[in-house]
Amino acid sequence: MAKLLETKNLVTNFYTYEGSVKALDNVSISIDHGETFGLVGESGCGKSVTVRSVMRIIQSPGVIEGGEVLYCDDAEHPEQCEDLLIKSEEAMRELRGDRISMIFQEPNAALNPVLTIGEQVAESYMFHRQRSMSRQILADVESGKISFGIFSPLLKWAYRRASENPRAPALRLMSKLPLLKLWGRPMRREAVNRSVGIIERLGISNAAELVTRYPHNLSGGMKQRIVIAIALACNPTLLIADEATSNLDVTIQAQILELLQDLKERRAISSVLLITHDLGVVAETCDRVGVMYAGILCEVADVKTLFNNPVHPYTRALLNSVPRFCVEGELATIEGSVPNLVHPPAGCRFHPRCKAASDICKQEKPKLVDLGNGHSVACHHIDEKIGE
Amino acid sequence: MTAYIIRRLLFLIFVLFGVSVLIFGLLMTFSPERRAAVYVTTPQQAKDIPKLVKQYGLNDPVPIQYARWVKEVASGNLGWSLVAARPVAKAFWSYFPTTLELNLLASPLVIIVGIWLGTLAGVHRDTWIDHGTRIGAIVGWSLPTFLFALVLLMIFYGYYGLFPPGIISSDTSLWVINNPDKFTRYTGMYTIDGILNGHLWVTWDALNHLVLPVLTQVIVVVALLMRVMRSGMLEELSRDYVITAKAKGADAHTINIKHARKNALIPVITVAGQLVALSMEGSIAVEVVFSRQGMGWWLAHSATQLDMPVLMSVCMFIGVVFVLSNLIIDIMYAYIDPRIQLQ
Ligand SMILES: Nc1ncnc2c1ncn2[C@@H]1O[C@H](COP(=O)(O)OP(=O)(O)OP(=O)(O)O)[C@@H](O)[C@H]1O
Ligand SMILES: [Mg+2]
């Protein structure tokens, strides 16, 4: 499989009053085209920070300090990768929401309370699809489907320009002038029409009415679908779902996961990066899994290997802490607590809670070692663990 | 919506009742002779105060006197102003336009400058723009208005002879009085009357006198608005929907203006009531220092000379302004925040 996204030694810090929070320490993950990758770990281990670093939407006081984020849009030409961290902000804007988009954890907070649903979904199209919308409007005017009366010549000119370059200076000037700025209206209407389309495709029947409402009129599940609609509007290559279902009840959660699966099968999206606490969801939906602990990546493997032959002590503990129907015995908890990331433990960040910790664990950071078949582990005691 | 407005207007009656009882109680602590002035409408009557005390029963129990006063006010007699040497109702219409003119010019400036600077400071947090506006705000906020007005007057008028105090220069004023056929005082505001009569030089003269008062008023009032706007922007920019917008591919301008500022304006509207109060308070000091004969000047002089009919009427007027401005604020609130429904 061809690689889609690869982070190499990603380092992100937050500069707070208490000191610098070392939220990510050399995180390296890689996702292939067509793959569903699961990222798991306790709350606060840096899952959200990882994916936000990938999209470069870390809020201050967070700073991406180092590493690479390689993105290879074209599966046929894997050599044409670009490092997202050195791209210009403008180029990143074009990528966000178009090639890579994200679904957020908390649907109640993720939508702007004072803008209508239609306006918020339509933004995705207004940011990335002005060319194609202009072409469509132009075609509609020329075929006589819609008419602007005496303004037709002016609007035709404007939309011909916009289908070549939506950011042309003449159009930008027009948008600032009174009356003339109305030229953009048909385009905004088209963007809302497309929004109605995408919302309907997510299985909501009254979409045309829904787009005129505000977020506070909607239920949590409905809001989450809108957040998903925003992310899916431009058919992204990579969809990042950051605990997209954590705050919803079980039935809606199942519906939404099914929806994502379905979209992947229909090729609306290519790859999914799924962040979740729920190992059951991972087992059901993911191809490969990465396990994070306190800002480091402990272990990466395909789903079967990870569940059957976990190597890292933290992965093992994590799997043991999940209730299983068929296994009797006590549920294990992981002793100790998540370390403070202002002063993370020296050496392996997991060593204070690790039963197998030895002197080397306290002094040296373990490197991520490839065990073959895409199974990598960062632990000093791999050899002893594999046999167990 | 209509029901809501009607209910609020009914509420106005209670406010006026409360204000009048309060001020009336204050009035009752003065001697009956002084209070007789409330009922005086002509200069001749002012000489027979003792007769008036008896005639109007100013030694009667307070509730009876209050009922009588309400009756007088209801019939349109607000009393005689010693300061203005005119009936209060008549004096009101000569002072009110001056104050209105000042606030009509200052308020839009306060709103535009306050929102703009507050947004700028919030967006460029912890840069020199932010620090600069904040220091300016603290200075404007903490210096007394009259001191500020005096300093400006001293610098501009004292040193450079620019922007004289008063409403209009005496030459212009004389010309206006002597040429009633050429200059009609439609609104009582020289700036607007100058335009309406086609004598733009009068407008220019009046504007020259307005520069410093408006500047003082804006600087004193704008600090509050700016502070609220800045903290609102900071709060909104840290919200999750801003990240959603960023992840959609929004540019900084869209995020700041379309997303964050629209939300940050909501708390600004809640302090709009305070802004109205500040403007009124500001007008008093500004009009006294720049010797502009407006409501604030009138109120200040009436208070020092215990001109009770004026104090009563002006306080009632302030009550009306407050209730009406709060009503407008509520309507604006419902307009900008879709979560609020007036009922
Ligand atoms: N704005 C911030 N300021 C300071 N530190 C932050 C900030 N955001 C995140 N962090 C730090 O980064 C670490 C990782 O946070 P992150 O949100 O990525 O966790 P997470 O794995 O997504 O957890 P959850 O499952 O709760 O969403 C946290 O321990 C936190 O201390
Ligand atoms: Mg998170």
Side-chain angles (χ1 to χ4, degrees), chain A residues 2-305:
Chain A
K3 202 191 300 161
L4 170 63
L5 184 90
E6 181 175 16
T7 71
K8 281 186 181 165
N9 301 324
L10 203 54
V11 178
T12 300
N13 294 341
F14 286 88
Y15 293 94
T16 64
Y17 291 115
E18 287 93 55
S20 55
V21 179
K22 295 155 192 88
L24 296 187
D25 182 13
N26 292 303
V27 171
S28 306
I29 55 173
S30 114
I31 301 160
D32 288 342
H33 277 275
E35 183 177 67
T36 301
F37 187 94
L39 198 56
V40 296
E42 281 167 278
S43 186
C45 68
K47 304 179 299 281
S48 298
V49 173
T50 305
V51 292
R52 286 178 188 195
S53 299
V54 166
M55 285 185 87
R56 280 175 47 193
I57 52 172
I58 291 279
Q59 314 111 291
S60 76
V63 181
I64 304 170
E65 296 285 12
E68 281 172 47
V69 177
L70 296 180
Y71 174 73
C72 321
D73 196 42
D74 194 344
E76 251 88 82
H77 301 277
E79 70 284 352
Q80 288 175 0
C81 293
E82 37 186 2
D83 184 356
L84 299 187
L85 295 188
I86 57 173
K87 263 178 109 92
S88 72
E89 179 57 28
E90 206 181 330
M92 270 316 278
R93 276 209 304 269
E94 275 168 24
L95 204 94
R96 289 183 202 126
D98 188 9
R99 314 299 344 135
I100 306 179
S101 56
M102 197 184 286
I103 307 174
F104 293 88
Q105 198 160 349
E106 177 57 67
N108 294 319
L111 294 174
N112 191 330
V114 300
L115 297 179
T116 61
I117 299 298
E119 239 169 308
Q120 299 193 51
V121 182
E123 271 193 335
S124 291
Y125 295 109
M126 290 304 285
F127 293 146
H128 303 294
R129 290 289 179 270
Q130 291 214 0
R131 260 171 241 252
S132 87
M133 288 195 294
S134 301
R135 248 177 276 132
Q136 188 180 333
I137 291 168
L138 200 59
D140 284 353
V141 176
E142 269 160 10
S143 70
K145 230 191 205 164
I146 46 174
S147 165
F148 302 114
I150 54 164
F151 300 111
S152 276
L154 178 70
L155 279 149
K156 256 159 103 179
W157 174 83
Y159 281 110
R160 193 163 297 126
R161 293 291 292 130
S163 58
E164 286 154 16
N165 177 14
R167 272 188 256 286
L171 294 176
R172 292 231 298 255
L173 180 69
M174 256 170 88
S175 303
K176 289 211 170 70
L177 298 175
L179 283 177
L180 278 180
K181 69 180 171 194
L182 292 178
W183 79 274
R185 238 201 212 163
M187 179 139 72
R188 276 194 291 278
R189 207 173 303 135
E190 172 61 24
V192 172
N193 283 345
R194 290 188 180 197
S195 310
V196 172
I198 184 84
I199 295 171
E200 265 168 1
R201 262 189 285 152
L202 295 183
I204 297 170
S205 49
N206 60 339
E209 190 251 313
L210 197 75
V211 292
T212 61
R213 292 211 234 152
Y214 289 93
H216 70 278
N217 299 124
L218 271 57
S219 67
M222 202 63 116
K223 272 186 245 187
Q224 190 62 312
R225 278 161 201 257
I226 299 301
V227 175
I228 294 175
I230 291 172
L232 290 177
C234 299
N235 293 331
T237 315
L238 174 63
L239 180 71
I240 300 172
D242 186 354
E243 306 194 33
T245 58
S246 303
N247 293 308
L248 303 175
D249 60 54
V250 185
T251 44
I252 297 174
Q253 188 176 340
Q255 277 175 18
I256 284 177
L257 286 171
E258 217 166 277
L259 182 77
L260 290 185
Q261 203 79 349
D262 184 45
L263 287 165
K264 244 192 88 194
E265 272 156 30
R266 292 195 325 223
R267 305 276 161 127
I269 41 181
S270 166
S271 306
V272 178
L273 201 169
L274 192 75
I275 296 179
T276 175
H277 287 291
D278 191 338
L279 290 172
V281 169
V282 173
E284 248 171 68
T285 54
C286 296
D287 303 316
R288 290 198 321 129
V289 193
V291 180
M292 284 187 75
Y293 177 80
I296 54 172
L297 189 74
C298 308
E299 185 162 5
V300 187
D302 62 74
V303 153
K304 272 213 193 102
T305 314

